[in-house]
Every structure is written in C-alpha cells, then in structure tokens.
C-alpha cells in the first residue's frame, strides 16, 4: 500500500471517495471489488477522526425492537454475521447484560429476546464454533447481582442476557478494509485535503486537492464523487458553490477507557438517575443507559452526549468533560468508584442527531442516509450521512449500486458480505490461534503471537518476516503491550504510516488504550526516523504531537 499522488493526477476514476473513515473504507473496497476504478482520499490519516470514536460493539440491533424497526434490526443482525465471517480475527461474540427495573420491563424482555432470536435465525451458519451466538435469556435478581456486584437494587427485578459482537481493534478493521480495496486495484492517499470540486456546468467531474505533506496542489478527475466525510459532509457539499439543504445536526459523543475490568465476561448497561423519553419508541424504558464493556484488560465506558454547533475542527474533550463522565458513572454504578487516575484514555466524535429536547437531551439519528445531489441540480455527487459503524458495509453496497446507476451501468453482484478482508482467511479462529502459538518463533512469547493474530489475522507472518531482516525487530516496544518493533516497520513500509500517531493509534494497538510511555514513543519514533529519514527535530516534534493527544484540552473560562 504505497502513497503515489502522481498516479492520482494521471488517471480519471470511475469514483473518487472523500473521507477515509469506516464508510469510505468499505465503499472503496466494494467499488474496487466490483471492477470500478477507485480513488480514496483523506485529509488526515485513515480513520483518525470520527471512526476512532467507537465503543467497539458490533450491534445485532436488539435495541430496535423498542421502535418496532424490524428491518433495521435484521440489517444489523446480518452485518454482525458478515463481519464475523469476513474479519474473524477482529470481530468476536460478546455477551451483554441489561438489568431490568420494574415489572413491565421484566415482562417485556423475554418476549423481546424471543423475537430477537427468531429474527436472527441464521446467525449460527458460520463454520467456526467460536462465532456461535446463543439464544438470549432472562435471569433472576439474585443472579444479576452475582454477575454485576454493587448494582443498584431499588426496583431491580432481574436482567436480560443476549449476545452482540465486539471488535478487538476497530482501527485495524478499518485499515484492513482499505488494504482489501488496494488489493482490488484502488488508489488511496492520506494527508490529502480536498479543497474544492472540478465542475463542468452542473456536473462534478473531480476534485481539487492539496497534499498536506508537500503543499503540492493537484486536480483529480472522476466520473462520480462519493462524499463519506462523516460530520464534515456539509462542509464538503459547500464546495459546490450553490445553495443546498443542510444534511446534519450533530452531537458530541465521548467515551473513556479505564484501567480495570468490572465484569470479566460481560458487557453491561447501568441506568442514569434521570428520565429520558424517546419519542419514537413504542416501548419506552424511561432512562438512558451507560454501557460498560470489557475490552482487552480495560473497560470502555460511554457514552456522554451533548449538542454541538461549533467549529467541527475545534471540538475537544476537557478535564471537566472527563470528570463529568466519571461522576455520571459513579452515580449510576457506585461500585465503580472511579477516580481520574483510573481513566487511561478518552475518545470523542460527532454523530448526527434528529432533535434536541427541552432538557438538552439529544435523539441520535436512527439510520444512515444517502443523498444524490442530482435532486438539488448537481450531477455526479453522492453523499452518505453515517451513523452506525456496524452497518457501514451494507450502506456502502447501496451507495455503490447508486453509483453504477449514475454511470449508466448495471451493478454487478456485491460480494463483500462473503469475501474475507485482508487478514481474514481463517476458517476456525481458535484453531488458527493455537496453531500460531504452537509454531511461533522461539524468541517470541505467547502474548506476542496472540497480539499479532488478533490484529493481523492470517497475515500475521507478513509482520514476522521482518525478523529475518533483524531478529531484534521482535523486541517489545514497552512493557504495557505486546507490540513489537516489526509492527512499526510494517506500518511504515506496507500501510502508509507517515506520522508517529499513525502507528501508535491506528496501525498497532500500542496507544489505543493508554499512553504508551515516553520510552515507547521514543523507540517508535526512532524506528520511523530510520525508515523515513527524520532528523532529531522532526522526531521530537512527532513525539510532542502524540503526547498532546493524551492531554485533555484546557477548560474555557
């Protein structure tokens, strides 16, 4: 996967995709795999903005029962299965518990679980027993308290258990989609900012772009442009230069990572001590949930939400924001007894909302939306307003079907629901993992091989090959994780990592849960310096840039 801006300049693409988040990545893979010529551009690094703000849950859609939205539930169920099929190393079943309060929810949930199981009748057709999804069930109050010690008991009547899935590393999942796109012929480039459109009367014919690494300006031609820029969808549409209907209103969503696991084998929800009414819900439980998910040796907790109408490039998380979320967690689940020192990292992103009520509570948009600007007098421009990580692949399939029709062609059959992504050629995950551990190089421990398989899947040996060049590349970067030096080299040589943050946060798992330490940054930066020719000044600049990511913004007075 090589960055070649000259190649971009010299071609006319069937489709050019703006935004290398999960929607852009899946769209690039879909389009390229069906035979279209594809260019994918991102202003920063792939997946470095909104797609990084994920609680790692691949939802089966149980929540949609309360809205009577069985179509959306079925879509989520299918996409959960598709991701376990195509990315078996990255997506794994995760049991979840929701405590029930009051007699009504206690009576409703068994029916809801039965409906959910019936709707997911084909969920266990994968050949891998590790991907088996059991039926949901209800448990007693006593069993609930045994599984979740310290839960508020007032009004507690029991709990419901069902299964979703969890992505071990959403950043690697996204990069693997992009690598699959490249293997299918797509041209991709990070740090290439789209600054405007090329137009022929009322038709978009490509984009103007600026290389943020060299300041070079270039024009890239395309028959159709697909706008997958997430929260920036309206900003991109403004390049058209004619009035358009604004597509999104936004809310900030925040997550925190804490340095302990509360319930080892289950993700679980705890209710806020405040009322909330979902106007669209047929069944309204009357409160919001905080969700606490075990992830590696940490817990992910979220989400905090608040409306946002400011500069999309300047929204931040402050110490006050983190403390507020800590207080909400401790109020909802006193057993947590969180303090600031427990929080090792935080994530932030923007998500489309439908409305803000009089209490300031937001209603998250229910579905992804696709807009063809032809309806506003502009040909050759299609935009996705994206909401859910889980359904990105399916939305991309719909968008690429639209692009084929825009090109006057019949869309070939999509195969991305069945085709393993980069690293996904694994028939039975546990067997593959155990075999890799058994046959590992003698200088590597089990934890290192486990890390490589979970992140790179069937391609883990493409990282190990660097040990033939220098056995020292098998050294761990720090004592916090099992990431080895070879992963840094692999990220630079094979996955377009151009900045230190690219390898710390998106090519490896080194810094995705907590600060990797000064020594970890120093070691990683000097490996990249050898590969990319950085001088000492650049090394220190890169280190400081990464340190700032782990430092909350200063509260505005």
């Amino acid at each position: 996967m090589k960055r070649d801006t000259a190649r971009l300049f010299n071609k006319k693409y069937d489709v050019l995709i703006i935004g290398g988040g999960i929607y852009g990545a899946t769209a690039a893979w879909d389009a390229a795999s069906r035979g279209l010529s594809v260019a994918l551009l991102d202003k920063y690094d792939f997946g470095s903005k909104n797609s990084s703000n994920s609680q790692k849950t691949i939802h089966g859609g149980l929540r949609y029962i309360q809205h009577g939205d069985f179509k959306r539930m079925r879509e989520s169920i299918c996409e959960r299965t598709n991701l376990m099929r195509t990315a078996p190393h990255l997506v794994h079943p995760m049991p979840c518990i929701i405590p029930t309060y009051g007699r009504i929810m206690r009576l409703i949930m068994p029916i809801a679980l039965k409906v959910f199981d019936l709707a997911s009748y084909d969920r266990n057709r994968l050949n891998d027993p590790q991907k088996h999804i059991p039926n949901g069930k209800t448990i007693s109050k006593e069993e609930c308290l045994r599984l979740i010690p310290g839960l508020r008991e007032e009004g507690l009547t029991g709990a419901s258990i069902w299964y979703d899935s969890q992505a071990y590393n959403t950043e690697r999942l996204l990069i693997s989609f992009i690598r699959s796109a490249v293997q299918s012929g797509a041209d991709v480039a990070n740090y290439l900012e789209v600054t405007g459109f090329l137009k022929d009367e009322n038709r978009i014919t490509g984009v103007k772009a600026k290389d943020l690494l060299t300041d070079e300006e270039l024009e890239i031609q395309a028959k159709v442009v697909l706008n997958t820029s997430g929260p920036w969808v309206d900003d991109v549409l403004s390049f058209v230069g004619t009035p358009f209907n604004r597509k999104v209103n936004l809310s900030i969503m925040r997550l925190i990572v804490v340095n302990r696991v509360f319930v080892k084998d289950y993700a679980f929800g705890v209710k806020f001590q405040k009322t909330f009414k979902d106007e669209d819900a047929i069944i309204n439980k009357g409160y919001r949930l905080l969700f606490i998910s075990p992830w590696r040796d940490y817990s992910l907790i979220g989400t905090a939400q608040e409306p946002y109408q400011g500069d999309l490039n300047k929204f931040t998380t402050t110490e006050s924001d983190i403390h507020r979320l800590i207080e909400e967690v401790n109020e909802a689940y006193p057993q947590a007894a969180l303090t600031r020192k427990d929080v090792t990292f935080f994530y932030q992103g923007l998500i489309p909302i439908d409305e803000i009520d009089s209490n300031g509570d937001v209603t998250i948009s229910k579905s992804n939306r696709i807009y063809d600007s032809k309806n506003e007098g502009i040909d050759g421009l299609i935009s996705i307003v994206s909401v859910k990580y889980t359904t990105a692949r399916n939305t991309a399939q719909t968008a690429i079907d639209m692009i084929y029709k825009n090109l006057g062609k019949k869309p070939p059959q999509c195969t991305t629901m069945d085709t393993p992504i980069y690293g996904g050629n694994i028939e039975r995950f546990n067997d593959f993992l155990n075999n890799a551990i058994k046959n590992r190089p003698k200088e590597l421990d089990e934890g290192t091989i486990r890390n490589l398989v979970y992140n790179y899947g069937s391609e883990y040996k493409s990282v190990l090959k660097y040990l033939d060049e220098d056995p020292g590349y098998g050294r761990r970067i720090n004592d916090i994780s099992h990431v080895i030096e070879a992963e840094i080299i692999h990220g630079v040589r094979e996955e377009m990592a151009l900045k230190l943050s690219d390898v710390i946060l998106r090519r490896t798992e080194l810094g995705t849960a907590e600060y990797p330490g000064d020594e970890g940054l120093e070691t990683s930066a000097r490996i990249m310096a050898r590969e990319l020719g950085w001088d000492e000044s650049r090394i220190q600049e890169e280190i400081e840039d990464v340190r700032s990511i782990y430092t909350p913004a200063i509260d505005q007075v």
Side-chain angles (χ1 to χ4, degrees):
M1 195 164 92
K2 307 296 183 184
R3 188 176 187 272
D4 185 354
T5 56
R7 181 177 174 85
L8 293 168
F9 178 76
N10 290 320
K11 289 179 66 173
K12 182 175 184 178
Y13 293 92
D14 292 321
V15 56
L16 183 147
I17 301 169
I18 303 173
I22 189 62
Y23 280 78
T26 52
W29 181 41
D30 187 309
S33 68
R34 289 203 242 179
L36 294 178
S37 57
V38 179
L40 172 67
L41 314 180
D42 197 281
K43 180 179 178 179
Y44 301 107
D45 189 30
F46 306 118
S48 62
K49 293 299 180 180
N50 226 45
S51 292
S52 67
N53 182 50
S54 166
Q55 203 161 2
K56 318 299 180 187
T57 303
I58 305 300
H59 293 284
L62 176 64
R63 69 179 74 177
Y64 302 139
I65 289 179
Q66 67 179 321
H67 298 96
D69 194 343
F70 299 106
K71 180 179 182 294
R72 196 154 46 114
M73 179 174 67
R74 180 64 185 161
E75 178 190 13
S76 295
I77 288 168
C78 291
E79 290 309 306
R80 179 186 65 186
T81 301
N82 290 338
L83 284 168
M84 287 196 294
R85 178 190 297 114
T86 60
H89 55 306
L90 288 164
V91 182
H92 308 274
M94 178 178 69
C96 306
I97 304 177
I98 289 294
T100 52
Y101 289 87
R103 292 183 61 189
I104 294 177
M105 291 305 296
R106 178 67 174 170
L107 293 171
I108 288 172
M109 284 309 297
I111 301 171
L113 292 174
K114 186 66 175 178
V115 171
F116 187 55
D117 290 337
L118 288 171
S120 56
Y121 64 92
D122 55 352
R123 66 189 183 276
N124 288 322
R125 292 183 179 176
L126 300 179
N127 293 325
D128 187 349
Q130 192 256 354
K131 306 303 182 189
H132 180 78
I133 301 286
N135 285 338
K137 64 180 181 179
T138 57
I139 59 175
S140 66
K141 174 182 177 179
E142 292 72 25
E143 179 69 4
C144 177
L145 290 171
R146 185 186 69 80
L147 293 174
I148 313 176
L151 200 64
R152 290 186 182 276
E153 295 190 42
E154 182 181 356
L156 181 67
T157 53
S160 299
I161 297 178
W162 82 99
Y163 282 71
D164 274 334
S165 293
Q166 185 181 66
Y168 178 83
N169 188 334
T170 47
E171 290 77 18
R172 286 290 328 161
L173 182 58
L174 186 149
I175 287 294
S176 298
F177 278 123
I178 292 177
R179 293 210 62 171
S180 297
V182 171
Q183 287 177 337
S184 295
D187 294 328
V188 304
N190 50 3
Y191 299 103
L192 197 63
E193 178 185 8
V194 171
T195 58
F197 287 126
L198 303 177
K199 292 177 65 177
D200 182 1
E201 296 183 344
N202 289 329
R203 183 166 190 90
I204 302 299
T205 59
V207 301
K208 301 174 184 178
K210 180 179 180 180
D211 189 331
L212 298 184
L213 302 179
T214 65
D215 288 334
E216 177 189 10
E217 295 183 354
L218 60 157
E219 295 183 349
I220 308 169
Q221 297 184 53
K223 297 174 184 176
V224 179
V225 172
L226 179 61
N227 174 12
T228 62
S229 54
W232 291 270
V233 63
D234 285 335
D235 286 3
V236 170
L237 287 172
S238 70
F239 295 150
V240 172
T242 58
F244 66 96
N245 295 322
R246 184 176 172 83
K247 301 296 187 286
V248 291
N249 294 304
L250 298 166
S251 169
I252 294 177
M253 297 191 73
R254 293 190 178 92
L255 300 163
I256 54 175
V257 184
V258 301
N259 58 6
R260 50 196 163 101
V261 173
F262 298 99
V263 178
K264 181 180 179 182
D265 297 322
Y266 296 90
F268 65 99
V270 290
K271 72 172 185 176
F272 279 112
Q273 295 304 106
K274 66 175 184 177
T275 59
F276 171 74
K277 183 171 178 59
D278 187 340
E279 298 293 343
D280 295 330
I282 299 170
I283 303 166
N284 202 308
K285 59 184 179 290
Y287 50 84
R288 281 195 185 276
L289 288 172
L290 275 175
F291 219 69
I292 302 175
S293 306
W295 176 60
R296 304 177 189 164
D297 296 322
Y298 304 85
S299 288
L300 287 165
I301 305 178
T303 59
Q305 305 165 5
E306 62 183 87
Y308 186 76
Q309 296 177 328
D311 188 329
L312 300 187
N313 297 307
K314 294 182 178 179
F315 77 97
T316 58
T317 293
T318 66
E319 280 291 349
S320 293
D321 295 323
I322 294 173
H323 280 283
R324 192 179 308 118
L325 185 48
I326 289 171
E327 290 171 3
E328 290 177 342
V329 174
N330 289 335
E331 180 184 353
Y333 185 49
Q335 179 86 358
L338 286 184
T339 65
R340 179 62 179 89
K341 68 179 181 181
D342 297 319
V343 178
T344 57
F345 199 26
F346 54 91
Y347 288 94
Q348 62 181 18
L350 294 166
I351 191 166
I353 58 175
D354 290 333
E355 63 180 4
I356 307 167
D357 69 16
S358 58
N359 296 319
D361 290 320
V362 300
T363 299
I364 304 301
S365 297
K366 300 295 191 292
S367 302
N368 305 318
R369 301 188 297 276
I370 304 175
Y371 295 97
D372 189 336
S373 291
K374 180 182 292 186
N375 299 324
E376 296 175 343
I378 299 294
D379 289 328
L381 176 60
I382 293 172
S383 301
I384 296 176
V385 174
S386 51
V387 181
K388 303 297 182 184
Y389 198 106
T390 302
T391 53
R393 189 217 61 84
N394 187 61
T395 303
Q397 178 181 339
T398 303
I400 300 307
D401 284 345
M402 289 178 63
I403 286 171
Y404 265 100
K405 292 174 183 177
N406 196 292
L407 293 170
K409 299 179 180 180
K410 180 181 178 181
Q413 183 176 354
C414 175
T415 60
T416 58
M417 71 288 289
D418 296 315
T419 306
I421 63 172
Y422 175 84
N425 285 301
I426 297 172
E427 189 169 332
R428 295 192 171 205
F429 179 75
N430 284 340
D431 291 347
F432 184 90
L433 175 62
N434 292 332
N435 185 65
I437 291 171
K438 180 181 178 181
N439 296 294
R440 69 186 186 273
K442 62 179 184 297
E443 64 268 26
L444 298 181
D445 62 22
E446 179 177 329
T448 297
I449 294 297
R450 184 177 296 273
N451 162 69
L452 290 173
V453 170
Y454 268 89
N455 282 295
Y456 302 91
S458 56
E459 294 292 333
Y460 80 98
K461 290 183 179 178
S462 66
V463 178
L464 290 181
K465 72 180 181 183
Y466 295 107
L467 274 64
D468 295 334
E469 184 179 322
D470 183 346
Y473 291 154
R475 289 186 295 264
R476 288 167 58 176
I477 296 292
N478 60 21
D479 294 330
I480 301 172
S481 77
H482 285 276
V483 175
I484 59 176
E485 293 185 12
E487 293 181 68
I488 309 297
I489 296 168
H490 180 263
V492 173
R493 295 185 188 177
E494 303 295 336
E495 296 187 334
M496 216 177 287
L498 300 170
K499 294 180 178 289
L500 182 59
S501 58
D502 299 344
V503 297
I504 299 296
L505 290 165
R506 288 175 292 281
R507 304 305 185 276
T508 77
E509 65 176 60
L510 189 59
T512 54
E514 66 177 296
Y515 180 64
D518 292 345
E519 184 177 350
L521 292 189
E522 183 84 17
T523 300
S524 302
R526 294 198 177 278
I527 293 171
M528 292 191 74
R530 292 197 302 268
E531 295 292 317
L532 297 172
W534 294 349
D535 59 18
E536 187 63 30
S537 175
R538 176 67 183 272
I539 290 172
Q540 296 308 317
E541 178 185 330
E542 292 287 335
I543 289 173
E544 287 306 312
D545 283 348
V546 173
R547 280 182 182 146
S548 69
I549 294 170
Y550 296 86
T551 305
I554 297 173
D555 290 289
Q556 299 297 313
V557 179

